[in-house]
Amino acid sequence: MAAGRSPEGLFVPETKSLYSEVILDHIKNARNFHELTDANRKAHGINPLCGDTFDVYARVEEGRVVDAAFQCECCGISMASASIMTETVKGKTVQEARTLYRSFEKLLRDPGAASTLQADSGQLPMLELIREFPSRVNCALLGWHTLDAALDGRAEVAISA
């Protein structure tokens, strides 16, 4: 609920919600949620604490992520983060994708860290969300962690606390 006045004229403060409009859109309309049949990089990731699982696919050509996709059995936060991730890394070099992952992880695990992400990266709504609900950090990171493994050529990875 947004801050404002009730029909009775009383001030109603904004309540914090786990799911912003941006996050809900990425859950309901996940981008790149499919198997990428021409992927040349793939990894399977798991969060052993909650049971979320991911398959992340990437097609890398000449050191650049030209396409990325994912499939998962996961919570909404994991879904939204992976949807944002696949949109964000397309067109980036492998090194730029890794830098985004490491910056995102640092900001999620250390809210006091100075922001190194660009405002248009799509990750900022997720950062704001996780700062309010730190128990969901691994949910937001699982897709990214799995992408990093795929880019390294590792077939499987588990995220840890």
Side-chain angles (χ1 to χ4, degrees):
M1 169 191 269
R5 300 257 174 218
S6 72
E8 297 81 27
L10 301 173
F11 179 74
V12 179
E14 182 173 338
T15 57
K16 293 183 184 195
S17 171
L18 181 57
Y19 299 101
S20 71
E21 287 181 37
V22 171
I23 303 306
L24 283 172
D25 181 51
H26 278 278
I27 293 168
K28 292 177 184 174
N29 306 296
R31 282 58 153 191
N32 309 300
F33 184 74
H34 58 86
E35 181 177 356
L36 188 62
T37 57
D38 61 348
N40 56 11
R41 310 283 171 91
K42 177 185 174 190
H44 178 75
I46 186 166
N47 181 343
L49 295 175
C50 70
D52 283 359
T53 62
F54 261 86
D55 288 308
V56 173
Y57 311 90
R59 190 171 76 242
V60 177
E61 295 176 4
E62 299 179 9
R64 188 169 297 279
V65 179
V66 295
D67 205 357
F70 73 100
Q71 291 181 308
C72 67
E73 291 185 23
C74 61
C75 69
I77 296 301
S78 291
M79 173 82 72
S81 184
S83 177
I84 292 167
M85 171 193 75
T86 57
E87 286 195 315
T88 303
V89 300
K90 283 183 184 182
K92 303 279 193 261
T93 66
V94 168
Q95 186 56 45
E96 289 169 335
R98 285 190 171 128
T99 298
L100 283 168
Y101 162 61
R102 288 183 183 26
S103 296
F104 187 54
E105 180 176 37
K106 181 177 182 179
L107 290 169
L108 288 179
R109 296 202 187 277
D110 179 8
S115 177
T116 58
L117 296 177
Q118 306 224 355
D120 63 351
S121 72
Q123 296 178 18
L124 295 180
M126 188 64 63
L127 285 173
E128 293 168 359
L129 169 80
I130 299 305
R131 285 186 175 151
E132 297 298 322
F133 300 92
S135 65
R136 304 304 297 272
V137 167
N138 282 347
C139 298
L141 288 175
L142 181 58
W144 286 90
H145 195 63
T146 308
L147 173 67
D148 190 55
L151 294 176
D152 273 348
R154 292 177 281 142
E156 292 188 337
V157 66
I159 197 164
S160 59

